[in-house]
Amino acid sequence: MVKHAGASEGVSPDAALARLRALETLESGYEAWLELQVEHAASRLRFREERERLEQQGSFLLGAVRAAGLTPPSGAEPALVTPPAASGDFLRDAEDKLTQARDALARREAESEAKHAEAFAEIRATLKDRVQRYLSASRPSLTLLLRRVGTERAILHLERVSGDTPVLLCFLFAARIPSRYGFLLDDATEDVSLPPAPLYADAGVAADEVRPDAVGLESRVRGAGEVVPLKGFLPVFVPRPSGGEDFFRLLQRGVVLEVEVADGTAFRNVLSREESERFAGHLLRLKLEGRIGLDIEVG
């Protein structure tokens, strides 16, 4: 008897969307999104296991028929072997049932994928709408700390932000929502000999692509769709007087966010006077536009 794989175990798309609609917070939206991703992965696994079971059934059936002598042995002349008349009916009936089971499974899988795709699209759209509404209602507040290194260089820090603020800043700076709510303060690493990766294996990023160099990271952020899988940093694109933009990042370092600029394939935290002034000027421009609150402290 073929077991159907269509029933979900755990959070269904409808349940995730019901939770999303019932709670208006950003965090609850991200929780619903994560639960749906976990359920989607489990659903795909169940369908894959069911396909494998059907293939095993078909292989076993063919082997049993051959063992019973109901099909000509390999290399034998079909005219010299006459199986019982009922054997052909038995084999055709079994093959028809397996074909029907495979077709039914494929239909359920396609329906499941379509339903999940619709749910994911609604969750992303809802989160983006909430972020935009939050930004229009209140301004994220930043405190920029200047630490001079000699007369022509500086190190810039910002006081660490938490709660909804990292998500809001990600959208403000990069026009995209992050793939996870707690992305900025996540310092976990899969390899203790390496610093935390700057990307999650989400949103089209493979597990072996989570540690790009500065050039690759900028390309990934700029080329992302409406979701960017950042981890442990915020991207900031600062215009140059001559045109174009420089890629800065706010890297989470304990109680502060350290400002770094892309320099070739690496990042540099000691900024020139021109770079530090341009970065501070970019934040000041956002403040004057009413998009952020900003305090600047010179140490």
Side-chain angles (χ1 to χ4, degrees):
M1 181 177 182
V2 176
K3 177 184 176 183
H4 287 191
S8 292
E9 299 171 8
V11 179
S12 68
D14 289 339
L17 292 177
R19 175 173 180 169
L20 176 75
R21 295 161 184 161
L23 301 172
E24 279 288 313
T25 67
L26 279 176
E27 188 172 10
S28 67
Y30 272 94
E31 288 173 351
W33 191 6
L34 179 59
E35 289 174 355
L36 187 57
Q37 289 173 338
V38 172
E39 190 279 331
H40 186 215
S43 175
R44 285 183 163 180
L45 177 60
R46 291 193 295 272
F47 280 115
R48 184 168 66 249
E49 290 174 343
E50 185 60 24
R51 283 196 302 273
E52 291 172 355
R53 281 195 290 270
L54 289 175
E55 293 304 318
Q56 290 170 359
Q57 286 182 24
S59 177
F60 178 79
L61 174 63
L62 183 57
V65 169
R66 285 174 175 165
L70 302 181
T71 60
S74 178
E77 290 289 338
L80 301 179
V81 180
T82 307
S87 66
D89 294 338
F90 170 79
L91 188 57
R92 281 192 297 273
D93 183 59
E95 289 175 339
D96 287 345
K97 288 181 178 178
L98 280 171
T99 298
Q100 292 171 11
R102 291 190 187 102
D103 291 345
L105 180 64
R107 287 194 298 273
R108 291 196 302 276
E109 185 173 17
E111 292 168 358
S112 174
E113 286 295 311
K115 195 165 188 177
H116 279 93
E118 292 175 1
F120 282 130
E122 180 171 338
I123 287 177
R124 291 192 299 269
T126 300
L127 286 173
K128 183 177 178 180
D129 177 70
R130 287 182 187 176
V131 166
Q132 291 174 313
R133 285 192 287 111
Y134 282 26
L135 284 171
S136 65
S138 62
R139 300 180 303 169
S141 294
L142 297 174
T143 299
L144 181 64
L145 311 171
L146 170 64
R147 301 291 180 259
R148 295 192 181 278
V149 181
T151 58
E152 295 299 322
R153 296 185 300 169
I155 293 177
L156 296 181
H157 289 158
L158 283 94
E159 290 186 354
R160 191 171 73 173
V161 294
S162 59
D164 293 342
T165 303
V167 178
L168 301 181
L169 289 174
C170 180
F171 190 81
L172 182 64
F173 291 148
R176 294 166 178 84
I177 59 174
S179 63
R180 304 194 189 187
Y181 182 77
F183 75 98
L184 184 58
L185 305 184
D186 187 354
D187 58 2
T189 179
E190 77 286 358
D191 187 337
V192 294
S193 66
L194 296 173
L199 296 174
Y200 290 107
D202 294 338
V205 176
D208 60 352
E209 298 175 336
V210 298
R211 296 180 181 277
D213 61 17
V215 174
L217 188 59
E218 179 178 2
S219 176
R220 177 66 68 174
V221 174
R222 289 186 182 276
E226 59 186 348
V227 178
V228 59
L230 306 178
K231 181 173 181 285
F233 82 98
L234 281 162
V236 184
F237 297 102
V238 177
R240 303 188 199 102
S242 58
E245 296 174 321
D246 281 324
F247 178 42
F248 288 77
R249 71 175 180 180
L250 308 181
L251 186 66
Q252 195 274 125
R253 289 193 183 278
V255 298
V256 298
L257 300 174
E258 189 162 83
V259 180
E260 296 184 337
V261 63
D263 187 0
T265 59
F267 285 94
R268 171 168 46 82
N269 69 332
V270 178
L271 310 179
S272 69
R273 180 173 180 175
E274 188 272 341
E275 289 168 339
S276 60
E277 290 178 350
R278 210 155 31 87
F279 182 86
H282 180 66
L283 295 187
L284 183 58
R285 185 162 50 251
L286 293 176
K287 172 185 172 70
L288 296 177
E289 292 172 356
R291 302 170 72 182
I292 64 171
L294 179 67
D295 292 319
I296 300 178
E297 298 181 5
V298 178

